[in-house]
Amino acid sequence: MKFTLQYPMPHPPAPGFLDPSTILDVARAAEAAGFHGIAFTEHPAPSDKWLKAGGHEAFDPLIALTYCAAVTERLRLMPFLLVLPYHQPFLIAKSVASVDVLSSGRMTVIGGTGYLRSEFSALGVDFDERNALLEESITTMRGVWSTDALEVAGAGFQARGVTARPRPVQQPGPPIWLGGNSKLTRRRVATLVDGWSPNMYDARMAATTRTATLETVDDVAAAIAEIRALRDEAGRDDSFDVQLNGPHGRQPPAPTEVAEHIDLLGRLSAVGVTWTVINPPHDDVAAALDMIAAYGLDVISKVAP
């Protein structure tokens, strides 16, 4: 099992979490504690209504990740998640490649279709085209990262003989995982990308985020088994990652709950989960840093490879 720390940015965030020095402190603390990755969300134009109803604030994730890359050596850099339909494919391919080069090959793209209609409207992107735009973005990015004189046409663009350098350190490109719980997402994980990053959601949260429910370990196991079967059908016998954002990580364990927490992580690992997302306290910077260090000692040191 590997561990990703999600940087805390609720609405409104505690003032300290907007301090540039705090971002660096959290990144350094995560690496020192044994975390394997750090993640930032993306919401460039959320509605005020969504924020007031429990939404969260966000930096530009690629800028924040590049900032963290400068003070770390090992952490994987993960936008969790990058709403690919929001971005022109060549521009996002360039940004991702730049982060990968500047971090010596530590970028992992976690993409998704997005779900906020108001945000699509603010950005001038057709909400109903988001699935086609997602797939177009993935295939175009991979072409940009690995092909000279690329010829490709898409929604609103025509590329003739494009050679984009520098290429990413990771070849043929950084791994791409997809967030989302839907059956369509699972099919894409089976046929198109390198990993899956679902959220454990009950019916209420699933409806809010326009995705499928995923409530229990058995639900997770069945979904992973489905992806494996679909990958076999597609002739893909390579391994794939599953990064789970679940209730176990949204409220890290109290000292008396550590053994139960480790047991749950073992059950998830047994069904095919390879990464998990941990959310530190978001109301106090010192508490977040203390939790990161304690989690490294109490959990990561005992279960990480």
Side-chain angles (χ1 to χ4, degrees), residues 80-81 111-112 178-182 185-186 189 196-199 211-212 214:
F80 182 45
L81 51 71
L178 288 181
N181 299 357
S182 70
T185 296
R186 296 197 296 272
V189 173
W196 185 37
S197 190
N199 286 281
T211 193
L214 195 70

Side-chain angles (χ1 to χ4, degrees), residues 6 13 18 37 54 64-65 77 113 115 156 162 198 223 232 244 249 276 284 292:
Q6 179 133 8
L18 300 179
L65 290 168
L77 307 169
T113 54
Y115 65 92
V162 170
D232 287 344
L244 184 66
T276 193
D284 180 79
I292 291 167

Side-chain angles (χ1 to χ4, degrees), residues 183-286:
K183 194 172 187 68
L184 177 56
T185 296
R186 296 197 296 272
R187 286 201 299 268
R188 288 182 177 130
V189 173
T191 60
L192 190 61
V193 298
D194 311 301
W196 185 37
S197 190
N199 286 281
M200 291 186 76
Y201 281 153
D202 59 20
R204 182 185 65 83
M205 279 302 299
T208 298
T209 57
R210 302 176 190 269
T211 193
T213 58
L214 195 70
E215 295 191 69
T216 68
V217 174
D218 287 343
D219 291 342
V220 174
I224 294 172
E226 178 189 11
I227 293 171
R228 285 177 176 150
L230 290 169
R231 288 174 75 92
D232 287 344
E233 288 178 15
R236 301 186 70 186
D237 58 2
D238 55 324
S239 62
F240 64 99
D241 279 294
V242 178
Q243 176 179 258
L244 184 66
N245 186 21
H248 61 278
R250 296 188 187 124
Q251 187 173 353
T256 56
E257 301 168 337
V258 168
E260 182 180 357
H261 181 78
I262 289 175
D263 178 71
L264 175 57
L265 293 176
R267 290 164 55 207
L268 291 168
S269 179
V271 302
V273 175
T274 57
W275 289 70
T276 193
V277 180
I278 303 300
N279 296 266
H282 56 257
D283 53 353
D284 180 79
V285 171

Side-chain angles (χ1 to χ4, degrees), residues 7-97:
Y7 192 81
M9 284 288 289
H11 176 71
F17 288 106
L18 300 179
D19 189 318
S21 65
T22 298
I23 299 173
L24 301 184
D25 288 344
V26 168
R28 292 187 185 103
E31 186 160 81
F35 280 87
H36 303 83
I38 189 167
F40 287 82
T41 59
E42 177 174 57
H43 275 294
S47 69
D48 186 65
K49 177 181 178 181
W50 179 80
L51 283 172
K52 289 178 177 176
H56 54 84
E57 300 185 16
F59 293 108
D60 180 299
L62 297 179
I63 290 174
L65 290 168
T66 306
Y67 193 58
C68 293
V71 297
T72 58
E73 297 180 351
R74 180 183 51 78
L75 284 180
R76 297 294 300 181
L77 307 169
M78 300 177 172
F80 182 45
L81 51 71
L82 197 64
V83 185
L84 293 175
Y86 291 168
H87 301 276
Q88 204 282 343
F90 281 89
L91 291 177
I92 196 64
K94 172 59 70 175
S95 295
V96 168

